[in-house]
Amino acid sequence: MAETAFRKIDIDIYDEDVLQDEELVDADPRDPVQVLNDAKQRQAAVRSALSRSDILGALNTVLENAPYGPNVEEAKTVTLQTLLTILNTTKAAEIPGVIKGLSQDNQDTLMKYLYKGMAMPGWGDISGSVLLGWHEKLTEVAGTGCIVRTMTDRRTV
Amino acid sequence: MPQVFNLSQTPVTAHAFSADNAQLATSFNSNDVQIFARQGAAWVPTEILSEHDKLITSIDWAPNSNRIVTSSQDRNAYVWQQTQDPSTGKLIWKPTLVLLRINRAATHVRWSPKEDKFAVASGARAIAICSFDPENNWWVSKLLKKPLRSTVLSVDWHPNNVLLASGSADMKARVFSAYIKEVDDKPAPTVWGSKLPFNTVCGEYASPSGGWVHAVSFSPSGDVLAFASHDSSISIVYPGGPTICTIRISSLPFVTLTWTAEDTVVAAGHDCQPVVFSGSEGGWQGVGSLDDSTSGKPAGPGSNSPVGRLNSAAFSTFRDADSRGHTSAKASSDAKLLTVHQNTITSIRPFETKGGRVTKVSTSGVDGNLVIWDTDSVNALAGRVGGLRV
């Protein structure tokens, strides 16, 4: 076995000019308070869309300009909750049609939320089987590239 | 049909052809460069260039001056020139030292079009622009540093011998001026700018979803820049607007690309097949793959699925075990990928040019293969890389 312990040494602490995370991504220009208000308004809009069983409209509402970056944790939580109500109430047979109707941006954002949900088992209304069902259908439509973008994108949701 | 040459059982990290395509320099994930000579239909190993003491990362062969430059993780680059051995009279490759002055690995190297300079990308957040100092008989370097924030993964020269594009792990593609007073004439204005002292940043373009920029390349005219990044996307930059056309692909990321004409790019990478894109300032789209993976081979399960490599042998083994309780390893029949390359493509380069168009490109891969492709035989992507949209 080759020596690998040296890989775990944090050499960055000796570097005055170290690259910070925030340098890698442009911050969300919106004000955190406004982002939170937006998220709450969307929650209401999604409820009314769901009562008309307009799933695609509801998904588009919640995924468009979703909150990202630091300082907007509460808005992210509200958005995740809103999204979960959509995911949990959609019938399995309708999922592929809905996903095909999403723009590529929104497909990428949806994938981010699916992974966020899977990373928080037992939180709120998260159901692993529902998330995996959506994940399977989304991967069939958007491909592995969509998963790769979820992993690389620093604009975390 | 693509010509396939199995050069090695180990990955081919880099490859470069001599001007007449009769010789080939490669590195097999080791400290040595292996030179091959073409004999009939085969490549025969001839010479080994040993001087580096860590992995070689990149090789470039200057077509007119017939010099090879190599870069390595040992933080060095060497320029190799053929000279006569005084005792035997045979031609052998002799290295010349390059004073790079970098404290991290050299990652990529390319000769400038006039072959009087070369650029070495490095992990030291710098690009070394090297030119020859005849007084001391070595190559000296000048470093491009600002505003690089991370390892530079690739470089490419503009045809005017002054501008240089770089792709970096800080998720940006950049265009720099690499003007060296002692070497270059004053460059004519281009679409990238008119005043070009050393280290002028003529453009900075971020990858769309935050992936490392693996590959950059200027179009044949130098007026357009293409870059591929690790967020499974390829972007084409027109500096005027600037207009940036981004194509997000549904398969795994590209790591290398080359232009074959002013309106066509071929990119390849983790998806193991070269994919052709074409377009203009109005918009770009995926055209197809050079790899006709559907003919001559049994169509495996899911060969037309956009999920691509997800439906691999390992995947189906686990799926069968899960859904049907099968545990027998019958997967050996479809353990081969449907593509010509059996693993990631590490490098794609123009191989043959006719009438201003690149008619053949060569690729080298982690599977140890070198493949030469006709750029005209593009196969529709069907469902495999389907869903390509601008």
Side-chain angles (χ1 to χ4, degrees), chain B residues 276-337:
Chain B
V276 181
F277 295 87
S278 83
S280 62
E281 198 163 353
W284 277 71
Q285 57 192 358
V287 180
S289 170
L290 295 182
D291 193 334
D292 180 16
S293 55
T294 47
S295 74
K297 289 175 215 157
S303 64
N304 277 323
S305 151
V307 183
R309 298 215 300 179
L310 249 189
N311 269 334
S312 63
F315 183 83
S316 30
T317 306
F318 282 112
R319 190 187 50 205
D320 289 351
D322 175 50
S323 58
R324 282 170 242 159
H326 287 180
T327 46
S328 63
K330 72 165 221 356
S332 58
S333 61
D334 51 16
K336 266 187 86 151
L337 293 181

Side-chain angles (χ1 to χ4, degrees), chain B residues 247-261:
Chain B
I247 304 170
R248 285 186 250 186
I249 55 163
S250 58
S251 55
L252 297 176
F254 297 129
V255 296
T256 177
L257 58 83
T258 186
W259 291 76
T260 54

